[in-house]
């Protein structure tokens, strides 16, 4: 039996089911927040990630720290997962974020590599 059960319309075209459970659900929930631009949700101005605001600017060390703090806060807001490590690497016109997550219920580790650029569907 699963610990967590949820609904998602974001799935590969080969999957016909919309139900996600456990780690798949947690991962999708985190990706939903990390893919959203901060302020894009009605009546929730702090929902989303600030990476999109910094994407086409010259990234300073303080910007990297701001991005790290924002992503850390996003992950800390989900009690189902713990952040083990976080690396933010700006490259010309893209930002790569590498996360190492530990799922609380299963104690499993998973690494997520997210590359933010003008093509939003790349992760």
């Amino acid at each position: 039996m699963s610990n967590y059960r949820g609904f998602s319309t974001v799935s590969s075209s080969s999957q016909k089911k919309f139900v996600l459970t456990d780690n798949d659900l947690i991962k999708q929930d985190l990706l939903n927040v990390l893919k959203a631009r901060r302020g894009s949700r009605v009546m929730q101005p702090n929902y989303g990630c600030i990476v999109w605001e910094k994407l086409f600017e010259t990234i300073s060390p303080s910007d990297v720290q701001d991005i790290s703090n924002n992503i850390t806060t996003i992950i800390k807001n989900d009690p189902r997962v713990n952040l083990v490590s976080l690396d933010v690497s700006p490259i010309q016109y893209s930002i790569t974020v590498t996360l190492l997550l530990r799922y609380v219920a299963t104690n499993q580790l998973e690494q997520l590599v997210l590359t933010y650029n003008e093509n939003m569907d790349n992760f």
Side-chain angles (χ1 to χ4, degrees), residues 41-88:
R41 181 144 316 162
V42 176
M43 308 262 314
Q44 293 184 5
N46 293 322
Y47 182 88
C49 191
I50 67 167
V51 173
W52 302 108
E53 299 167 14
K54 313 280 186 186
L55 193 56
F56 294 106
E57 298 178 7
T58 303
I59 305 293
S60 69
S62 69
D63 290 330
V64 171
Q65 188 61 45
D66 290 344
I67 292 167
S68 296
N69 291 342
N70 178 245
I71 292 173
T72 300
T73 300
I74 289 169
I75 294 171
K76 282 185 178 180
N77 284 333
D78 192 331
R80 304 170 297 177
V81 68
N82 291 324
L83 180 63
V84 176
S85 68
L86 167 64
D87 180 57
V88 177

Side-chain angles (χ1 to χ4, degrees), residues 27 36 52 114:
K27 180 178 174 180
W52 302 108
L114 313 172

